[in-house]
Amino acid sequence: MAAKDEPVVIKKYANRRLYNTGTSTYVTLEDLAEMVKRGEDFSVQDAKTGEDITHPVLTQIIFELENKDGQNMLPIPFLRQLIAFYGDQMQMIVPSFLEQSMIAFSKEQERFREQMKSPMDMMKLATPMKAIEEQTRRNMEMFQNAMRMFTPFPAAGSATPAAGAPEPARKDGAEGTEAPEKSDDLQELKEQIAAMQRKLDRMS
């Protein structure tokens, strides 16, 4: 039996059966989905090798849910954009962006539910909705700033040096292009994400 502060171990066997070691029963993907909704933490391990396969199993649950009638949550444009990020230089920051966005959305959702408990609070419905919209806007601004940091070419319409024009002088007085400052950009991005996490902590 797992300790209370440890996730329940779900073992997956070669025949694809899933075994909940906490309850000593076989379970299905639907059962795991319900555990997630109840906030029960678990990890999935390959019964033979002990390898952690939680990620592919959770992904499979999403696939199953998305294929049920009337349960689609991931719009096609989002799926296309997400696929495009695989292998792209932006891939490294997409997980953090999505994670922080979902944390913020979940916290606003809890506030929204609290304000839905009485008819009087229903009149305040616009407030939590505006808060969600504002948080989404801030998240998108952060993500767009990150995209600009990692984009190697200037955006369309931006000013570019004319052909044959001398390159801007470096800070040391020598001519030529300044050295890339990707490390500084990465540090700035990390600081933005950390600042956003601090805001989320204060909201809780």
Side-chain angles (χ1 to χ4, degrees):
M1 187 77 176
K4 290 184 178 179
D5 58 345
E6 295 180 356
V8 175
V9 175
I10 308 295
K11 291 188 176 182
K12 185 175 183 180
Y13 291 89
N15 59 5
R16 297 185 179 182
R17 296 194 71 182
L18 299 164
Y19 184 77
N20 186 328
T21 61
T23 59
S24 300
T25 57
Y26 285 99
V27 294
T28 64
L29 290 177
E30 289 186 358
D31 293 328
L32 296 186
E34 290 301 319
M35 289 177 66
V36 171
K37 293 176 182 179
R38 292 195 299 267
E40 298 179 23
D41 193 13
F42 63 84
S43 65
V44 186
Q45 298 178 1
D46 185 290
K48 184 177 181 180
T49 66
E51 177 187 1
D52 190 317
I53 55 174
T54 307
H55 186 278
V57 170
L58 291 177
T59 304
Q60 186 178 0
I61 291 174
I62 293 175
F63 176 80
E64 295 289 341
L65 292 174
E66 282 290 309
N67 277 279
K68 286 187 176 181
D69 292 337
Q71 292 213 143
N72 305 94
M73 282 203 305
L74 304 178
I76 290 178
F78 172 80
L79 292 173
R80 292 184 187 277
Q81 184 102 53
L82 193 60
I83 291 171
F85 281 134
Y86 282 96
D88 186 85
Q89 56 189 353
M90 289 297 297
Q91 182 175 344
M92 63 181 294
I93 67 168
V94 170
S96 293
F97 169 75
L98 294 178
E99 182 179 4
Q100 299 304 326
S101 297
M102 289 304 295
I103 290 173
F105 182 80
S106 296
K107 290 184 177 182
E108 291 298 338
Q109 181 188 47
E110 288 303 316
R111 294 185 183 187
F112 176 79
R113 287 176 174 173
E114 286 297 320
Q115 294 196 16
M116 290 277 287
K117 288 184 177 180
S118 69
M120 290 296 296
D121 289 335
M122 286 287 288
M123 299 176 65
K124 304 176 184 177
L125 180 61
T127 301
M129 291 302 294
K130 287 182 179 179
I132 292 175
E133 291 175 0
E134 177 62 19
Q135 186 62 56
T136 301
R137 184 187 64 78
R138 289 197 297 267
N139 289 353
M140 287 305 300
E141 286 181 353
M142 185 191 76
F143 193 53
Q144 288 168 357
N145 289 337
M147 289 183 70
R148 283 194 288 271
M149 289 180 191
F150 284 84
T151 301
F153 304 106
S158 62
T160 55
E167 295 182 351
R170 296 200 301 266
K171 293 180 181 178
D172 57 6
E175 292 187 355
T177 305
E178 291 187 10
E181 298 181 353
K182 288 187 177 181
S183 59
D184 293 339
D185 290 341
L186 282 172
Q187 183 60 33
E188 184 178 349
L189 175 59
K190 290 178 181 179
E191 291 174 357
Q192 288 181 357
I193 293 176
M196 183 175 180
Q197 181 61 57
R198 289 193 294 270
K199 289 181 181 179
L200 293 175
D201 293 337
R202 289 196 295 269
M203 290 168 59
S204 58

